[in-house]
Amino acid sequence: MEQTLMLGVEGVRKTILHGGSSEMPRFITGTKVTFHFRTQLCDDERTVLDDSKKVGVPMEVVIGNMFKLEVWETLLTSMRIGEVAEFWCDVTHTGLYPMVAKSLRRIAEGKDPVDWHIHTCGMANMFAYHSLGYEDLDQLQKEPQPLYFVLELVKVEQPSEYDRESWALSDEERLKVVPLLHGQGNKLFKQGHYPQAANKYKEGIICIKNIQTKEKAWDPPWLKLEKMAHTLTLNYCQCLLRVEEYYEVIEHTTDIINQHPGVMKAYYLRAKAHMEVWNESEAQADFQKVLDLDPGMRKVVRREMQVLSMRMEEKREEEKLKYRGMF
């Protein structure tokens, strides 16, 4: 029989749909909780917005890790393993759901959930582009409303019972792990393992970006994190050059240059990428900017410009022969 319970939290009602089969789990900071969820509108049809079972992958959160939708921690810590419960949550608890749902959907689609190469926080991005990329979430963002969450608690693991990946770390732990990831990436790069090095750098960037979203843009703490992210992003771009992902290099370095036009290494890496995709004038302009920012790079730039000139001449000759054979 269904039973409606108050959780002692204003604006939350709980209805147990299926009782759990164990004692109440111990929920402490660092506990990892695995669960399925279904989110529904409070309309006559109970319209389903998201359903982890349809995706086929359960959700995981770490208690005390400042998950954006804080009410979910409250709901989950009221449950037993195996329990299925429906929670009605007032709009005061559901305002951030559209942004959380956007990240979850991007993960399900195999995309980067945090858009780490965009150097503004998630809230600023939303206002900049006026859309979350999903029509139903845009509508919910414009008109916040209460929601139903149907949760099924699958597993509870204490901090010592699982290997903690970077997403499961606290902000303090993330800051400590970034230099380790940086060092691991450097070692892999020197060994010629470029894809593996890129993954280490990217993991470090994601750690930094997760922390940075909680800081006010352009304040000193934010700028300090931004500088750390730039260093890792440029290392990441060096890996991309080695695996011939030239357009992605151009994208990331351009992003850095637009925000901070004095970063010489960004111009140098972008110039190298432009060389590889035959953008002669863009490469020349970037190499000139490298010289403007660091005259000590003159010998390196002169050598790169000579290579560029030779390659462009070879390309022009190849095109002449190609077109000559067509007529």
Side-chain angles (χ1 to χ4, degrees), residues 23 49 58 65 71-72 82 94 96 111-112 132 145 157 169 177 189 206 235 270 303 316 320 323:
E23 294 183 1
L49 293 176
N65 203 27
V71 72
W72 272 11
T94 63
L96 287 177
K111 298 176 181 176
D112 188 342
L132 294 170
Q145 56 187 281
E157 297 172 276
L169 303 176
V177 83
F189 185 88
I206 291 171
N235 286 6
R270 190 171 71 170
R303 184 173 65 248
R316 282 188 279 269
K320 283 181 184 178
Y323 291 124

Side-chain angles (χ1 to χ4, degrees), residues 20-34:
S21 57
S22 64
E23 294 183 1
M24 198 68 186
R26 183 164 163 261
F27 296 99
I28 62 173
T29 298
T31 299
K32 183 166 77 170
V33 180
T34 303

Side-chain angles (χ1 to χ4, degrees), residues 30-307:
T31 299
K32 183 166 77 170
V33 180
T34 303
F35 63 100
H36 278 290
F37 73 95
R38 183 170 70 248
T39 305
Q40 298 172 299
L41 297 177
C42 296
D43 56 12
D44 292 338
E45 294 77 23
R46 290 285 190 95
T47 302
V48 175
L49 293 176
D50 298 286
D51 189 338
S52 64
K53 287 195 172 181
K54 287 186 177 179
V55 175
V57 180
M59 177 75 180
E60 295 178 345
V61 299
V62 175
I63 300 301
N65 203 27
M66 296 184 69
F67 183 64
K68 286 183 181 177
L69 201 63
E70 293 181 13
V71 72
W72 272 11
E73 284 196 15
T74 302
L75 309 184
L76 290 164
T77 53
S78 77
M79 300 177 69
R80 302 173 187 272
I81 296 172
E83 180 180 326
V84 180
E86 176 185 86
F87 299 88
W88 174 88
C89 294
D90 189 68
V91 68
T92 56
H93 300 293
T94 63
L96 287 177
Y97 181 78
M99 294 189 66
V100 172
K102 173 190 174 181
S103 295
L104 298 178
R105 292 181 187 185
R106 287 181 65 84
I107 292 170
E109 294 164 4
K111 298 176 181 176
D112 188 342
V114 294
D115 290 325
W116 57 265
H117 63 279
I118 299 175
H119 292 263
T120 51
C121 72
M123 192 69 75
N125 285 336
M126 182 188 71
F127 288 124
Y129 295 100
H130 308 290
S131 175
L132 294 170
Y134 302 94
E135 187 175 343
D136 56 345
L137 298 182
D138 286 340
Q139 185 61 34
L140 188 59
Q141 187 73 52
K142 292 176 185 175
E143 301 177 11
Q145 56 187 281
L147 295 171
Y148 283 108
F149 299 116
V150 179
L151 306 182
E152 178 184 349
L153 185 57
V154 177
K155 184 165 59 174
V156 175
E157 297 172 276
Q158 299 305 317
S160 61
E161 296 175 343
Y162 66 96
D163 293 329
R164 301 180 72 185
E165 300 175 31
S166 60
W167 67 267
L169 303 176
S170 67
D171 286 349
E172 184 178 354
E173 291 169 327
R174 285 191 180 109
L175 275 178
K176 289 179 180 178
V177 83
V178 166
L180 298 177
L181 292 168
H182 192 169
Q184 291 168 357
N186 290 349
K187 184 176 180 180
L188 288 164
F189 185 88
K190 289 176 182 177
Q191 294 172 343
H193 302 310
Y194 305 120
Q196 295 88 336
N199 287 336
K200 293 294 182 183
Y201 294 138
K202 186 173 181 179
E203 190 176 350
I205 295 163
I206 291 171
C207 284
I208 293 169
K209 290 300 171 184
N210 274 313
I211 303 169
Q212 197 177 30
T213 58
K214 296 156 191 167
E215 302 289 349
K216 185 177 180 182
W218 304 105
D219 276 1
W222 188 94
L223 288 170
K224 182 179 179 180
L225 292 166
E226 184 82 342
K227 186 176 180 180
M228 293 169 62
H230 283 171
T231 300
L232 288 173
T233 301
L234 293 171
N235 286 6
Y236 177 72
C237 287
Q238 286 184 291
C239 295
L240 294 180
L241 281 174
R242 297 301 183 103
V243 297
E244 301 181 1
E245 294 289 348
Y246 305 123
Y247 288 104
E248 191 174 350
V249 173
I250 293 170
E251 176 187 355
H252 293 314
T253 51
T254 298
D255 186 49
I256 290 176
I257 289 166
N258 287 342
Q259 294 284 345
H260 305 277
V263 182
M264 181 275 292
K265 190 175 179 180
Y267 287 100
Y268 180 74
L269 293 177
R270 190 171 71 170
K272 294 278 287 182
H274 278 309
M275 280 180 62
E276 297 295 339
V277 294
W278 310 106
N279 294 339
E280 182 178 17
S281 60
E282 290 87 346
Q284 290 173 338
D286 279 345
F287 280 131
Q288 183 57 54
K289 189 67 178 178
V290 169
L291 283 180
D292 293 343
L293 292 169
D294 186 357
M297 290 287 289
R298 186 170 304 278
K299 185 181 290 186
V300 174
V301 169
R302 185 186 301 120
R303 184 173 65 248
E304 296 286 7
M305 291 287 278
Q306 288 171 348
V307 172

